[in-house]
Amino acid sequence: MELPEAFKEKMKNLMGESYQSLLDSYDQPESKGIRTNTLKLSPAKLANKLPFKTQGVNWCKEGFYIDHEVRPGKNPHYYAGLYYVQEPTAMAAVEVLNPKPGDWVLDLCAAPGGKSTQIGAKLQGAGVLVANELVNSRAGILSTNMERMGITNAIVTNEFPERLVDSFYESFDKILVDAPCSGEGMFRKDPGALADWSLERVDRCMGKQEKILESAHRLLKPGGVLVYSTCTFSPEENEQMIEAFIAKYPYTLETIELPGITEHGRVAWTRNQDQTIAKTLRIMPMSVKGEGHFIAKLIKSEGFAEALEIKQGYAKSRLKKATRIELQDYNDFAKNNLAAEFYQKIEDRLFLLGEHLYAIPAGVELMRIANLKLLRTGLHLGIFKKNRFEPSYALAMALKLSEAKNICDLTDEDLAYQYLKGEALNLQAKKGWVLVGYDGYSLGFGKASEGLVKNHYPKGLRIRKK
């Protein structure tokens, strides 16, 4: 691998005798991994279902290493949302954040969704996850990944971080800032990060990180947990960024200990030899099977009140509470197709956004999100069309097969691929909407009539070949 000369010179000066081991790590293949979606099954059950070998990840009990030649995105279980394809060391930041059911959690820089879906699984449907992504195209990918994993209590926003403050000032128990960075830790995995690197890029990223952390501070409750992570080696974006942040804001660093990761932040790489920086974590590719990361865990001091004027003038939202008359077609669909225990638990949280119906997360007030650019507001149930309700892909992925009255659970892999390619299925099923599954897990909806199940798998997600 041809590394930039400025990068090599910088790292040689920083690392001294251990510099050569860093260089040698670039000759090793990248590590590949998957993470179990515990909203659907246990890690042990997933391992038994997979047609390829796995090895556990020390710091994440839901994670597995997989062999380099494995193509995990070509397995029907992937499309059923049983696992997320994720680089193993990228799983560490959410383990440090440690979300619990009932927490309000913000993933401030969330796309493509690896860490957000990991948070969503840990919340187990209780609490609220706000997953924000500034870049519009990446926010769409984030939203799709959240749907595939069956996460029902998430709001996906497409906003500048500072725009969230008026809606969610000091609202979150835990915040993850997986900051945009110069990407030095991803050179082996991502040729684009290598091509884009420069010393000037490091400086630009520092400016973004400072602004994002300022917003995160205003969004976190006193006593809350802020986890800051990057995938770069740069001290300016890591140790020095956190050193400057805790000098300005009322936070204390908490020591991070994760199984299998032994290196910590380098005090010598700070500007003022701040000894508390040793509580942070460095993941270096020459000592861990994975790519490079930095993680800091900060606790916001109790009783700190910032003099900040919050705007109260909310715009009229297009999201509105659905009336009984407006819900008639949905209610007919739900009673005919869904188990009562599923639709009854969300019936008091049904809102309309145009023709689209959502079950918003419990505890979220409409006025909080009125001014925000929303891609998803909880569980998207479907869309109202002329004289009928059409269920969504998101609803299918949130359902267990036992929560639907009419199902086709495919056991033949070729039939599963036929469905995922968008083809109709020659199967006998009760006329009407059918929840199509594979090996006991949902894939999407179809509509049955006269021995044929018409395919309703989203066109944009259909695969071209096995």
Side-chain angles (χ1 to χ4, degrees):
M1 180 181 295
E2 189 64 36
L3 296 168
E5 288 300 322
F7 171 75
K8 291 195 290 186
E9 181 179 353
K10 177 180 178 180
M11 296 310 296
K12 185 175 182 179
N13 290 334
L14 285 170
M15 300 190 68
E17 294 180 358
S18 58
Y19 169 67
Q20 187 59 47
S21 62
L22 175 64
L23 285 186
D24 292 343
S25 72
Y26 288 107
D27 296 327
Q28 302 300 314
E30 65 176 280
S31 295
K32 292 179 67 173
I34 60 172
R35 194 194 70 254
T36 313
N37 181 9
T38 53
L39 290 171
K40 303 203 175 198
L41 79 175
S42 69
K45 193 169 184 179
L46 174 64
N48 287 332
K49 286 181 173 293
L50 295 174
F52 46 82
K53 294 180 180 178
T54 61
Q55 178 187 351
V57 173
N58 286 337
W59 48 88
C60 178
K61 65 180 183 296
E62 297 83 17
F64 295 103
Y65 287 100
I66 59 175
D67 290 339
H68 196 263
E69 65 274 9
V70 171
R71 301 175 70 191
K74 296 296 183 180
N75 187 295
H77 290 125
Y78 168 84
Y79 295 95
L82 303 195
Y83 58 84
Y84 190 96
V85 180
Q86 189 175 24
E87 192 273 312
T89 49
M91 303 173 191
V94 174
E95 295 302 308
V96 174
L97 187 67
N98 194 25
K100 301 289 188 184
D103 284 341
W104 276 55
V105 185
L106 169 64
D107 186 354
L108 200 45
C109 314
K115 295 177 177 66
S116 283
T117 56
Q118 191 176 0
I119 293 168
K122 288 183 179 294
L123 291 179
Q124 289 291 304
V128 177
L129 167 60
V130 175
N132 181 69
E133 174 56 44
L134 172 60
V135 180
N136 187 61
S137 60
R138 285 168 55 82
I141 296 169
L142 164 66
S143 184
T144 298
N145 281 327
M146 299 285 273
E147 289 182 340
R148 180 171 59 84
M149 303 300 271
I151 296 168
T152 62
N153 58 327
I155 296 171
V156 179
T157 57
N158 176 210
E159 288 286 4
F160 285 94
E162 56 268 29
R163 282 270 296 130
L164 297 175
V165 175
D166 284 339
S167 296
F168 293 112
Y169 178 68
E170 290 193 345
S171 294
F172 294 99
D173 303 291
K174 293 169 183 174
I175 295 178
L176 175 65
V177 174
D178 185 36
C181 67
S182 57
E184 296 170 356
M186 293 291 113
F187 285 173
R188 184 169 58 181
K189 180 177 182 290
D190 182 5
L194 179 60
D196 291 343
W197 186 88
S198 67
L199 292 173
E200 292 74 21
R201 179 172 171 79
V202 172
D203 289 339
R204 289 196 301 272
C205 288
M206 288 170 59
K208 293 178 183 178
Q209 291 153 6
E210 288 172 352
K211 289 188 68 176
I212 292 169
L213 281 171
E214 180 180 354
S215 295
H217 162 63
R218 293 189 165 111
L219 290 159
L220 186 66
K221 292 178 180 178
V225 177
L226 169 63
V227 168
Y228 173 84
S229 67
T230 72
C231 57
T232 186
F233 303 127
S234 166
E236 297 91 337
E237 301 173 70
N238 294 331
E239 286 92 346
Q240 292 173 24
M241 184 62 58
I242 295 303
E243 179 187 31
F245 181 75
I246 60 178
K248 184 176 181 181
Y249 297 107
Y251 286 78
T252 56
L253 278 166
E254 189 168 287
T255 301
I256 303 172
E257 301 289 350
L258 287 180
I261 301 174
T262 59
E263 295 196 45
H264 291 269
R266 310 287 180 92
V267 172
W269 293 1
T270 63
R271 296 188 184 280
N272 299 305
Q273 301 298 292
D274 186 340
Q275 298 298 313
T276 63
I277 293 298
K279 295 181 178 182
T280 63
L281 204 67
R282 268 195 175 268
I283 304 176
M284 303 297 284
M286 62 277 202
S287 56
V288 171
K289 189 178 176 183
E291 308 309 311
H293 296 271
F294 173 87
I295 307 173
K297 182 177 184 180
L298 304 111
I299 311 299
K300 187 174 183 177
S301 297
E302 294 276 6
F304 178 80
E306 182 179 2
L308 182 69
E309 182 180 353
I310 303 299
K311 299 174 185 176
Q312 299 297 333
Y314 293 95
K316 184 178 180 181
S317 176
R318 291 177 57 231
L319 192 69
K320 65 172 187 175
K321 183 78 173 176
T323 66
R324 178 178 293 183
I325 293 175
E326 290 171 325
L327 288 173
Q328 183 175 332
D329 288 338
Y330 163 75
N331 286 332
D332 290 343
F333 164 82
K335 289 174 182 177
N336 290 329
N337 294 279
L338 305 179
E341 58 267 25
F342 181 86
Y343 68 79
Q344 287 175 357
K345 68 184 178 183
I346 60 173
E347 62 185 1
D348 62 338
R349 297 187 276 118
L350 300 180
F351 282 73
L352 281 168
L353 184 60
E355 302 301 314
H356 294 266
L357 183 66
Y358 288 86
I360 69 171
V364 174
E365 299 170 359
L366 183 60
M367 64 178 293
R368 280 184 176 245
I369 57 178
N371 279 343
L372 299 177
K373 186 176 180 182
L374 304 167
L375 273 73
R376 285 290 180 268
T377 313
L379 174 59
H380 181 219
L381 294 167
I383 184 170
F384 289 97
K385 297 191 174 181
K386 188 176 181 180
N387 298 321
R388 73 183 193 276
F389 176 80
E390 188 168 297
S392 69
Y393 167 73
L395 174 59
M397 299 309 290
L399 287 167
K400 298 180 176 66
L401 292 185
S402 61
E403 294 173 323
K405 294 182 178 179
N406 194 17
I407 67 170
C408 283
D409 187 15
L410 307 175
T411 56
D412 184 283
E413 189 175 284
D414 289 334
L415 274 179
Y417 281 115
Q418 183 179 327
Y419 175 77
L420 292 168
K421 287 187 285 187
E423 299 174 9
L425 301 176
N426 289 302
L427 295 171
Q428 290 295 328
K430 179 183 175 183
K431 185 177 180 180
W433 287 106
V434 181
L435 183 60
V436 179
Y438 172 71
D439 193 22
Y441 299 91
S442 305
L443 288 176
F445 280 111
K447 203 164 189 182
S449 179
E450 299 179 353
L452 189 70
V453 177
K454 184 180 178 182
N455 201 304
H456 279 259
Y457 193 69
K459 291 181 179 179
L461 301 180
R462 292 176 183 178
I463 62 175
R464 295 184 178 180
K465 58 183 179 180
K466 183 173 176 179

